[in-house]
Amino acid sequence: MSSLFLRTLREDPADAELPGHKLLVRAGYIRRAAPGIYTWLPLGLKVLQRVETIVREEMNAIGAQEMRFPVLLPREPYEATGRWTEYGDTLFRVQDRREVDMLLGPTHEEMFTLAVKDLYSSYKDLPLSLYQIQNKYRDEARPRAGLLRGREFIMKDSYSFDVDDAGLDASYQRHREAYIKMFDRLGFEYVIVKATSGAMGGSASEEFLAVSPHGEDTFVRCEESGYAANVEAVEVPQAPPVPADVVAAIPAAQEVDTPDTPTIESLVAVLNDRHPRADGRQWTAADTLKNVVVALRNPDGTRELLVIGLPGDRQVDEKRLEAQVAPAEVVEATEADFAAHPELVRGYIGPRSLGLRGEGEDRTGVRYLLDPRIAEGSAWATGADRPGVHVIDLVHGRDFGADGTIQAAEVRDGDPSPDGAGVLHTARGIEMGHIFQLGRKYAEALGLKVLDENGKLVTVTMGSYGVGVSRAVAAIAEDNHDDAGLLWPRNVAPADVHIVATGKDPSVFEAAIGIADAFSVRGLDVLYDDRPKVSPGVKFKDAEIIGVPTIVVVGRGLADGVVEIKDRRTGERREVEMEAIVEEVLRETGSTDA
């Protein structure tokens, strides 16, 4: 450590919010170079390399072959798949000296597809799985949480190529099993959840989430059935229609005065005060139909309005909505939008003026989609499209219709599980891996075909499988720390053992060097604190914040022929005879004799 490029810090960095991020900076693993961009210092690089090794070993075990593409890529392949436009401002676009458009790779589906197209032409060449561990670049609007959401990051992306869907299913399952082994070795709690494919396209899609209260992703689980899904992928079943005899008994829709009721809360209060229900119970927010206006900005720059109808006790979940409308971007509706659509009276918007009801002049031009909880034949209190007026007993299917349904309402604790087996419980997680069955989207766009066994040209079907390698370092840190510092799992720690020499007696340092050499000969990676003018207290604090799982202290006990072993995670300490220290640590680390 006297020559290691390292400086530990006692104060938290000003830009760090999460505990793991703070400790990675304070313990000398990473340094911020710019927003969302980090330098890997020697200790951090060792952890990163150990994570890469685990990822690489599990990919190699299923027969995937490693290669590496450049970061600087041509525009044309991304133009062909539409992603030059779809990625929008997230894409780092550059020009060379000849003003030729290029980009910094955000992901490499196009390049893998073209590489296989260039070299393979027969079904005999398939199945094939290729992967790389490479830097990626995305211009995040709000980079945050250190390595968890950066503009430069390291990712393992792999791709499978098969001649038919049965082959894709098998490739997908092989990758899934490899991911389970991979994440089991990385040392943090994770869950596999159903996910959406988003702008990637494709069908089957699952995420591997590191369970963390600081995660950006919300997921749900049903304890009774084991169902688990990212909230974006939760599909609320369509509510069954109300029986015809019940609908027949609902009175005709009636407009009622509701002055100064632009919110659901104020509407419910006025309805209970002035327009009590015929069945005698109180109006609640769940009896109201809320109509939320959003604007969509399409990749080509065009805008359109969308109105979402949902029960008044629910909110629109922005992430769920974004997943439903991708690749369009959700933006706030402006004054100009409302001016162009005077039928949208804010606070009093009703469904009767919405929807694409017919052709030509009858079209309102504002698409209207309903939450699937809005059953055919259900009656609602909602806006009457005039200030200070609402309508009650407005029946879906009798008095208004919609252009379809949308899965955009929030998912809450206690909601029924979509599989009907119990209720949902929400939790937070960090996306660590995502696997997709891409199908033929990219192969068709780029013309990847092979001759099948009958000599017929067929389009190759693909799978895409990503792992956040640099993000894994952050996720491990978030899940493995205490008040004193990091607690690295042994598989990814920057060293197997941290030796601390204390005091000023030369014999202490001589003994510590001898122990370090003995460890190294037996195959252990050693971090040795040999700093002669640093106090024992500082050395102990550094050992705790750095977080190597086994700490060996050589000091006062040396006179009695003993040294101390400390388990960094449990805090357990014990004295061991000098002659037995190597075997004892080998046993503790689970290492085999080299």
Side-chain angles (χ1 to χ4, degrees):
M1 283 183 67
S2 61
S3 59
L4 180 64
F5 187 55
L6 172 69
R7 182 76 69 238
T8 58
L9 307 175
R10 299 301 169 216
E11 301 296 328
D12 291 335
D15 65 321
E17 301 173 2
L18 305 186
H21 180 199
K22 294 174 183 177
L23 288 170
L24 285 172
V25 175
R26 286 183 51 204
Y29 286 84
I30 61 173
R31 293 289 289 176
R32 180 179 181 271
I37 304 173
Y38 286 83
T39 300
W40 293 90
L41 300 176
L43 285 181
L45 190 58
K46 291 200 74 169
V47 175
L48 178 67
Q49 289 167 341
R50 287 195 166 191
V51 171
E52 287 183 358
T53 296
I54 291 172
V55 172
R56 187 171 282 115
E57 287 175 353
E58 296 303 336
M59 293 307 301
N60 293 345
I62 62 169
Q65 301 174 62
E66 184 173 7
M67 57 190 299
R68 183 173 297 179
F69 287 97
V71 165
L72 186 64
L73 301 172
R75 170 178 175 167
E76 288 76 14
Y78 291 80
E79 190 89 75
T81 60
R83 295 207 294 179
W84 176 264
T85 302
E86 287 178 8
Y87 263 108
D89 293 338
T90 304
L91 201 64
F92 276 104
R93 295 174 172 84
V94 296
Q95 286 188 333
D96 66 13
R97 65 180 64 198
R98 297 177 182 82
E99 298 186 349
V100 173
D101 286 329
M102 306 188 81
L103 66 144
L104 299 182
T107 182
H108 282 72
E109 280 82 0
E110 287 84 351
M111 305 309 295
F112 276 92
T113 305
L114 289 174
V116 176
K117 177 184 177 182
D118 186 38
L119 297 174
Y120 278 0
S121 59
S122 169
Y123 76 96
K124 296 177 182 179
D125 299 319
L126 306 180
L128 172 69
S129 289
L130 302 171
Y131 78 97
Q132 67 170 348
I133 298 175
Q134 176 63 294
N135 285 35
K136 310 288 186 183
Y137 296 87
R138 297 177 190 172
D139 193 3
E140 294 283 354
R142 294 177 296 277
R144 59 175 296 274
L147 301 174
L148 290 180
R149 183 160 293 280
R151 296 193 294 167
E152 177 188 70
F153 54 96
I154 300 168
M155 190 171 90
K156 186 285 299 179
D157 51 332
S158 56
Y159 303 87
S160 62
F161 301 84
D162 288 276
V163 73
D164 55 26
D165 291 341
L168 172 58
D169 288 341
S171 293
Y172 183 90
Q173 191 60 35
R174 281 194 298 273
H175 276 82
R176 190 180 192 274
E177 291 169 358
Y179 273 42
I180 290 171
K181 294 177 181 177
M182 189 186 302
F183 288 114
D184 284 346
R185 295 175 63 187
L186 286 175
F188 53 78
E189 182 187 359
Y190 70 94
V191 62
I192 306 171
V193 302
K194 180 182 177 183
T196 58
S197 298
M200 296 286 288
S203 52
S205 176
E206 292 176 291
E207 285 180 348
F208 289 69
L209 300 179
V211 179
S212 170
H214 308 298
E216 289 188 322
D217 288 9
T218 300
F219 68 93
V220 295
R221 282 187 281 197
C222 174
E223 295 177 358
E224 291 84 353
S225 66
Y227 171 88
N230 192 309
V231 290
E232 290 98 305
V234 175
E235 294 186 9
V236 177
Q238 178 63 54
V242 177
D245 59 328
V246 176
V247 176
I250 299 174
Q254 175 188 358
E255 291 190 355
V256 294
D257 289 331
T258 52
D260 302 318
T261 55
T263 67
I264 295 296
E265 293 77 10
S266 58
L267 171 62
V268 169
V270 168
L271 287 176
N272 281 318
D273 182 50
R274 301 186 183 184
H275 309 287
R277 294 176 60 91
D279 58 12
R281 71 172 179 83
Q282 293 281 295
W283 289 98
T284 70
D287 299 315
T288 67
L289 177 62
K290 176 164 56 179
N291 297 296
V292 178
V293 182
V294 299
L296 304 182
R297 183 163 56 209
N298 296 308
D300 62 4
T302 59
R303 286 172 62 95
E304 63 172 310
L305 289 189
L306 171 66
V307 179
I308 300 165
L310 69 163
D313 62 341
R314 298 270 171 173
Q315 303 295 327
V316 170
D317 183 311
E318 186 173 344
K319 284 191 173 183
R320 278 173 59 77
L321 174 58
E322 287 174 346
Q324 293 292 310
V325 301
E329 179 186 2
V330 180
V331 295
E332 188 175 353
T334 64
E335 292 291 342
D337 291 323
F338 283 98
H341 294 278
E343 70 273 18
L344 302 179
V345 181
R346 277 187 279 194
Y348 301 90
I349 297 172
R352 292 182 294 184
S353 63
L354 299 169
L356 308 179
R357 300 174 300 164
E359 301 294 332
E361 295 180 358
D362 291 333
R363 295 171 68 91
T364 65
V366 179
R367 192 156 48 116
Y368 185 51
L369 300 177
L370 287 174
D371 182 83
R373 297 176 183 84
I374 310 298
E376 184 87 8
S378 56
W380 301 89
T382 189
D385 307 308
R386 290 188 288 130
V389 180
H390 281 81
V391 58
I392 59 176
D393 290 325
L394 195 74
V395 175
H396 178 214
R398 184 190 74 181
D399 304 316
F400 72 95
D403 300 311
T405 60
I406 187 169
Q407 301 278 347
E410 63 182 335
V411 178
R412 301 192 299 221
D413 271 310
D415 280 351
S417 178
D419 61 9
V423 298
L424 298 176
H425 301 281
T426 62
R428 305 287 290 176
I430 300 165
E431 183 184 347
M432 293 306 311
H434 203 161
I435 55 179
F436 305 85
Q437 288 192 11
L438 286 180
R440 296 170 176 81
K441 172 180 177 179
Y442 294 92
E444 286 177 348
L446 297 168
L448 173 56
K449 298 176 183 292
V450 296
L451 291 172
D452 68 10
E453 57 187 359
N454 298 315
K456 179 183 177 182
L457 272 178
V458 294
T459 302
V460 170
T461 185
M462 294 171 55
S464 176
Y465 318 92
V467 169
V469 176
S470 53
R471 178 178 283 196
V473 176
I476 296 167
E478 293 300 336
D479 200 38
N480 292 273
H481 67 269
D482 60 15
D483 292 341
L486 295 162
L487 301 167
W488 291 112
R490 198 167 296 281
N491 279 348
V492 298
D496 297 308
V497 59
H498 185 152
I499 299 176
V500 178
T502 64
K504 299 180 180 180
D505 190 331
S507 64
V508 169
F509 291 89
E510 291 172 7
I513 291 172
I515 294 171
D517 288 343
F519 284 152
S520 296
V521 167
R522 301 292 289 275
L524 296 180
D525 198 346
V526 181
L527 179 63
Y528 169 37
D529 194 343
D530 62 333
R531 296 173 293 177
K533 297 181 180 180
V534 175
S535 71
V538 171
K539 288 186 177 184
F540 293 144
K541 283 185 177 296
D542 282 347
E544 288 184 326
I545 197 170
I546 288 170
V548 172
T550 299
I551 301 170
V552 172
V553 181
V554 184
R556 286 180 295 183
L558 189 62
D560 299 321
V562 298
V563 294
E564 181 183 87
I565 298 178
K566 177 182 177 181
D567 185 301
R568 173 66 187 88
R569 185 174 293 273
T570 67
E572 177 188 346
R573 302 168 183 263
R574 66 185 189 280
E575 290 187 338
V576 178
E577 297 289 334
M578 273 284 292
E579 292 77 10
I581 185 63
V582 174
E583 298 301 329
E584 189 68 23
V585 169
L586 283 170
R587 195 160 38 246
E588 183 166 300
T589 61
S591 302
T592 57
D593 193 336

